[in-house]
Amino acid sequence: MGNLVAAVAMTHNPRIFWNGPSADDESRRAVAAIFGELRRVIGEARPDRLIVVANDHFDNFFLDNMPQFCVGLGTRAAGPFWYESEVMHLPAYSADVDAGLGDHLLDLGTRRGIDFSQTSEYGLDHAFCVPLSVVRPEQDLPIVPVFTNVFAYPLATERRFFEVGQTIRELIRERPRDERIAVVTSFNLSVDVGGPRMGKRDDELDRLALDLIAKGDVEQILGTLPVARLIESGNSTAEFLNYDLMLGVVEDRPPDVVEYRLVPAWGGVPGVAWKVS
C-alpha cells in the first residue's frame, strides 16, 4: 500500500502575477503567508511524486474535443503557454512525468468505471503552473497531471468528480508501500471571467463554501453546491468541482489548514491543506 502523505487545494488565479503590483502590501504579505503554509505542508510530508489535478482552459482541448477527465502521460510536462508567460508573466514550470503511475491510474479507472482519456501531447497552463510553483518550486518531483473539464457542457456531476477522487485514493492504496504521494489541485469560489458578472462575487456562495470546507462535511458540500448552483455564480465557479474531486481523495478527513484572502486587485485566494502523514 502506498502512502498519501499530503493534499493541497488552492487558487490558480493568474492575476496574482500579472496584476501583482496593484495589490496592497498587507494583502501581498497575507497571500505570501498562505502560500508559505501550503508549501510547508508539502515539504514536511516528503512526497516522492505528485498527482496534480486541474481543469484545462481551452489550451489543450476545445469544445470540439473535450474529455471529461484526462491523464497526461509522456516523459516531461512543462508550461505555461506563451501568452501566459509573455502577457501574464506566470512562472515557468517543468517536471518529469511518472508515466507508470499514470498508466496505473488509467487501468484502475477502467476497473472502477471511470473512462479516463489520455494524452502525451500537452502543455501545463496556469491551473497547473501556479499551484506547482507555490507548493514545489524546486521542480524536482515527477508528476502525473490529470485534466478535468469544467467549461464544456454538459459537465460531469459533483458526485462524479468525487468518484474520480476516490479512484485516485484507491490508486495510492494499490501502489508499492514505499511510495509517498501528495495530491494537489486548484479550484475557485465564485468568479466570472469576461461575462456579465465580471468583477462581482457571490458572497453568499463563498461564505457557505468556506464554512462547509472548514467543517469537512462531504455530503453537505456535494448536496448544497451542485453543478447548477455553481454555474449560477459565474462562468468559472464550476472550477470548484476540482475541490469535490479532492474530497474523494481525503475521504471524510477535515482539512488541517483553511485560509482565504479576498484581494480587491486579484479576487479570492483560497488555500486548503490536509497533513495526512
Side-chain angles (χ1 to χ4, degrees):
M1 179 183 290
N3 300 284
L4 173 66
V5 296
V8 165
M10 61 168 289
T11 186
H12 61 241
N13 190 340
R15 297 176 67 189
I16 295 170
F17 296 91
W18 64 262
N19 202 28
S22 299
D24 61 279
D25 290 342
E26 182 181 352
S27 291
R28 283 199 293 269
R29 287 192 294 269
V31 170
I34 293 172
F35 286 176
E37 190 167 8
L38 300 179
R39 186 159 47 247
R40 281 192 295 275
V41 169
I42 293 295
E44 291 174 359
R46 298 180 293 105
D48 51 43
R49 61 210 66 205
L50 304 173
I51 296 174
V52 191
V53 180
N55 54 277
D56 185 70
H57 291 83
F58 298 130
D59 288 308
N60 295 289
F61 312 106
F62 197 59
L63 297 175
D64 60 344
N65 184 22
M66 176 66 75
Q68 295 288 14
F69 303 99
C70 181
V71 178
L73 301 176
T75 59
R76 191 86 180 166
F81 287 82
W82 70 268
Y83 73 93
E84 297 174 311
S85 176
E86 296 180 15
V87 179
M88 296 182 177
H89 311 296
L90 297 187
Y93 204 92
S94 179
D96 290 336
V97 174
D98 188 335
L101 181 57
D103 284 334
H104 191 167
L105 180 56
L106 289 170
D107 175 71
L108 178 59
T110 299
R111 288 185 271 130
R112 288 181 61 100
I114 306 290
D115 294 325
F116 289 106
S117 297
Q118 59 181 290
T119 179
S120 294
E121 296 182 5
Y122 57 91
L124 302 179
D125 72 10
H126 63 277
F128 289 90
C129 291
V130 170
L132 281 170
S133 328
V134 168
V135 303
R136 199 65 181 190
E138 299 88 346
Q139 305 185 37
D140 60 341
L141 297 180
I143 69 171
V144 173
V146 179
F147 299 89
T148 67
N149 167 38
V150 301
F151 293 130
Y153 301 120
L155 304 182
T157 66
E158 61 283 349
R159 182 76 52 182
R160 190 59 163 174
F161 273 78
F162 178 75
E163 290 169 351
V164 173
Q166 290 179 311
T167 302
I168 292 175
R169 175 73 182 193
E170 183 62 27
L171 168 74
I172 295 170
R173 289 187 174 129
E174 288 191 2
R175 298 300 293 173
R177 62 185 303 174
D178 61 339
E179 283 191 3
R180 300 178 61 82
I181 299 174
V183 182
V184 178
T185 193
S186 61
F187 76 105
N188 265 330
L189 298 179
S190 66
V191 62
D192 192 89
V193 179
R197 303 181 191 86
M198 183 78 168
K200 300 177 181 178
R201 309 194 70 80
D202 185 334
D203 292 332
E204 180 183 351
L205 180 140
D206 289 353
R207 286 194 298 269
L208 175 60
L210 289 168
D211 180 61
L212 295 177
I213 285 171
K215 291 177 180 176
D217 191 321
V218 173
E219 288 303 318
Q220 269 200 297
I221 291 174
L222 297 178
T224 309
L225 299 172
V227 170
R229 177 67 181 93
L230 298 175
I231 294 172
E232 287 176 359
S233 297
N235 59 23
S236 290
T237 310
E239 291 177 325
F240 186 83
L241 289 166
N242 294 325
Y243 191 86
D244 294 332
L245 185 150
M246 184 63 89
L247 292 175
V249 176
V250 299
E251 298 178 317
D252 58 354
R253 182 188 180 102
D256 299 288
V257 175
V258 179
E259 300 286 353
Y260 179 75
R261 178 80 179 194
L262 180 58
V263 183
W266 299 343
V269 181
V272 185
W274 293 259
K275 302 175 183 178
V276 182
S277 59

